[in-house]
């Protein structure tokens, strides 16, 4: 199996186009057509992780954080990024990053946190906006099922935990082929009346090109009458952060001890106590100050994230307990999640998790 084929499996499970625009996801270095000897999952593709991949005969490293984030003007080994990338290239090790594509995934980073905490009724905290579109297309009645199948195969009609969703209305369409046309039915310069179906499907915007291509391929007409609309609806199944609820509420100090145990940490930075019970909890792995107001709007009793600044804690307004467990600590289950995703699909070569430490933050207790 080639690196390209492994990447195809990963991207079949995690939609990479849902990554944030600022991010740098995908294949960062390496040759796609090379056969895979092994895959190593890690948090950060640092030099020690590349050494581990070489030792363990893995020529594909799948990392969460992209080691190349901004442009590189040279590769001389002068810093930790260049040293890792140089070593990977020299030893024919490919590096592939997923970062915010997995942050935004319904079953991604934040679902992993919720599952570790035992939160129920999980929902996206900050649903993606300007992410959904609607296609309306007209087709002869006898071709409507063929067209729907093509649209569904291209990814249209997926809404949450449902797929193959569409709406169809039958009616009468008219058209008149003019000079230069090659009509599927009718004659030039004669108005044609045809029994047609109007088919409507919703899709995520990043799928537009493949869906339009599939529509044109399956449609019998020379010119396909269709419209595409951008929807104001938020995508409730893609976005940053999640929130959910405990079966039983708990007091704040018990909740903090519970969090320390679940995250296996010694220190939690938190805002003032609210003297309220904790039942609904919001989470956002990594740097999550942007989710504080969303958690308040969702009436969360507590919010767990990392990398908060001094003034971020004031945003709690004594209405919610804000907890900073650390950036790496909040994302610590990612490698295991990715390992499980790929292990279910591939059994022909080694799929491993890195044992190297890459968290740059240390604590003196």
């Amino acid at each position: 199996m080639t690196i390209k084929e492994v990447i195809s499996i990963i991207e079949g499970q995690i939609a990479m186009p849902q990554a944030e625009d600022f991010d740098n996801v995908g294949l960062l270095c390496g040759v796609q057509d090379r056969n895979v000897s092994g895959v190593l999952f890690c948090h950060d593709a640092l030099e020690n992780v590349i050494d581990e991949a070489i030792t363990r005969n893995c020529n594909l490293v799948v990392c969460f954080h992209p080691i190349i984030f901004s442009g590189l003007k040279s590769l001389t080994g002068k810093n930790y990024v260049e040293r890792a990338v140089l070593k990977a290239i020299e030893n024919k090790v490919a590096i592939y990053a997923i970062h915010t594509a997995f942050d935004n995934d319904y079953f991604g980073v934040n679902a992993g946190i919720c599952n570790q905490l035992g939160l129920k009724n999980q929902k996206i905290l900050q649903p993606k906006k300007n992410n959904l579109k609607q296609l309306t297309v007209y087709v002869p009645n006898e071709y409507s099922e063929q067209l729907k199948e093509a649209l569904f195969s291209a990814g249209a009609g997926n809404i949450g935990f449902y797929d193959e969703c569409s709406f169809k209305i039958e009616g009468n369409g008219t058209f008149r082929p003019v000079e230069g046309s090659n009509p599927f039915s009718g004659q030039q310069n004669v108005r044609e009346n045809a029994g047609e179906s109007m088919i409507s499907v919703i899709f995520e915007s990043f799928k537009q090109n493949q869906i339009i291509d599939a529509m044109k391929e399956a449609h019998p007409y020379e010119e396909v009458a269709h419209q595409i609309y951008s929807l104001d609806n938020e995508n409730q199944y893609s976005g940053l952060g999640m929130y959910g609820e405990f079966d039983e509420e708990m007091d704040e100090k018990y909740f903090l001890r519970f969090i320390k145990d679940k995250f296996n940490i010694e220190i939690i930075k938190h805002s003032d106590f609210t003297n309220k019970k904790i039942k609904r909890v919001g989470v956002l792995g990594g740097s999550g100050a942007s989710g504080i107001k969303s958690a308040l709007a969702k009436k969360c009793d507590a919010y767990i994230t990392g990398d908060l600044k001094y003034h971020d804690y004031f945003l709690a307004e004594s209405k919610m307990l804000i907890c900073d467990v650390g950036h790496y600590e909040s994302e610590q289950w990612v490698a295991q999640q990715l390992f499980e995703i790929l292990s279910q699909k591939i059994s022909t070569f080694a799929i491993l998790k890195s044992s190297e430490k890459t968290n740059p933050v240390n604590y003196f207790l």
Side-chain angles (χ1 to χ4, degrees):
M1 183 175 286
T2 64
I3 290 173
K4 183 177 181 179
E5 289 171 325
V6 174
I7 289 173
S8 179
I9 292 173
I10 294 172
E11 293 180 353
Q13 300 298 307
I14 304 167
M16 301 307 290
Q18 68 187 347
E20 297 297 308
D21 292 338
F22 65 80
D23 207 0
N24 188 32
V25 298
L27 187 63
L28 304 184
C29 70
V31 179
Q32 294 193 59
D33 294 333
R34 187 167 287 141
N35 287 329
V36 175
S37 59
V39 180
L40 182 68
F41 288 105
C42 68
H43 207 85
D44 304 279
L46 304 181
E47 189 176 8
N48 61 328
V49 174
I50 303 302
D51 284 333
E52 180 185 16
I54 296 167
T55 300
R56 301 178 76 177
N57 194 33
C58 294
N59 65 345
L60 174 59
V61 171
V62 179
C63 55
F64 181 57
H65 292 141
I67 185 67
I68 303 174
F69 199 81
S70 55
L72 293 177
K73 294 186 177 181
S74 64
L75 274 175
T76 61
K78 63 180 175 290
N79 56 45
Y80 78 96
V81 172
E82 292 186 13
R83 286 193 294 274
V85 175
L86 267 177
K87 180 162 287 189
I89 292 172
E90 290 171 348
N91 289 276
K92 298 181 180 180
V93 175
I95 302 176
Y96 184 90
I98 62 164
H99 204 205
T100 56
F102 204 48
D103 278 320
N104 280 309
D105 196 90
Y106 188 85
F107 298 103
V109 176
N110 299 294
I113 299 172
C114 287
N115 292 337
Q116 290 292 329
L117 299 179
L119 296 174
K120 307 295 178 57
N121 305 317
Q122 298 173 17
K123 296 179 181 178
I124 297 291
L125 182 66
Q126 296 177 290
K128 267 192 172 294
K129 299 179 179 179
N130 305 314
N131 177 251
L132 297 175
K133 292 188 176 182
Q134 180 175 334
L135 167 68
T136 299
V137 56
Y138 301 86
V139 64
N141 290 329
E142 63 269 28
Y143 282 84
S144 63
E145 289 304 313
Q146 172 183 312
L147 182 63
K148 283 198 292 185
E149 287 297 327
L151 294 174
F152 295 153
S153 295
N158 293 352
I159 303 175
F161 295 105
Y162 297 84
D163 61 9
E164 301 190 3
C165 302
S166 69
F167 187 73
K168 171 182 168 182
I169 299 175
E170 294 187 1
N172 189 63
T174 65
F175 57 90
R176 186 164 72 99
V178 297
E179 193 71 27
S181 64
N182 182 26
F184 170 73
S185 62
Q187 302 177 20
Q188 284 189 357
N189 300 314
V190 178
R191 183 191 298 154
E192 175 80 0
N193 288 275
E196 294 183 329
S197 297
M198 183 184 78
I199 296 173
S200 180
V201 291
I202 291 176
F203 62 92
E204 293 168 300
S205 57
F206 65 81
K207 299 177 181 176
Q208 179 168 324
N209 289 341
Q210 66 197 49
I211 288 170
I212 296 304
D213 287 345
M215 176 194 74
K216 291 180 177 179
E217 180 70 24
H219 204 290
Y221 284 176
E222 183 179 24
E223 296 291 344
V224 181
H226 68 284
Q227 296 88 40
I228 296 174
Y229 309 93
S230 295
L231 302 180
D232 288 336
N233 306 52
E234 293 180 336
N235 188 344
Q236 300 296 323
Y237 296 91
S238 178
L240 295 174
M242 296 195 88
Y243 67 99
E245 298 175 346
F246 291 121
D247 285 330
E248 301 290 336
E249 61 184 21
M250 59 183 77
D251 67 40
E252 292 172 303
K253 290 185 179 180
Y254 182 88
F255 171 74
L256 291 177
R257 288 191 290 270
F258 173 81
I259 296 302
K260 287 178 66 176
D261 179 65
K262 288 295 183 179
F263 284 82
N264 191 29
I265 54 179
E266 296 292 334
I267 297 173
I268 299 176
K269 296 192 293 183
H270 64 86
S271 59
D272 289 339
F273 288 122
T274 65
N275 297 316
K276 296 194 306 182
K277 298 292 186 180
I278 305 296
K279 187 172 178 65
R280 178 174 291 183
V281 178
V283 305
L284 204 168
S287 301
S290 64
I292 293 174
K293 291 183 179 179
S294 296
L296 282 168
K298 296 293 191 296
K299 301 187 184 303
C300 292
D301 303 307
Y303 178 63
I304 302 171
T305 188
D307 284 350
L308 295 181
K309 297 180 181 179
Y310 176 85
H311 289 94
D312 294 329
Y313 294 90
F314 289 116
L315 298 177
E317 296 283 1
S318 300
K319 298 176 182 177
M320 180 176 71
L321 182 65
I322 296 178
C323 306
D324 185 338
V325 298
H327 189 124
Y328 177 91
E329 289 79 3
S330 67
E331 299 170 339
Q332 63 184 278
W333 297 289
V334 169
Q336 177 63 30
Q337 289 176 272
L338 297 173
F339 173 82
E340 291 173 359
I341 288 172
L342 201 59
S343 295
Q344 295 172 2
K345 301 290 182 179
I346 299 174
S347 58
T348 54
F349 49 78
I351 301 173
L352 307 170
K353 289 188 302 177
S354 174
S355 59
E356 291 293 313
K357 176 186 180 297
T358 61
N359 184 4
V361 181
N362 297 277
Y363 300 94
F364 183 74
L365 301 177

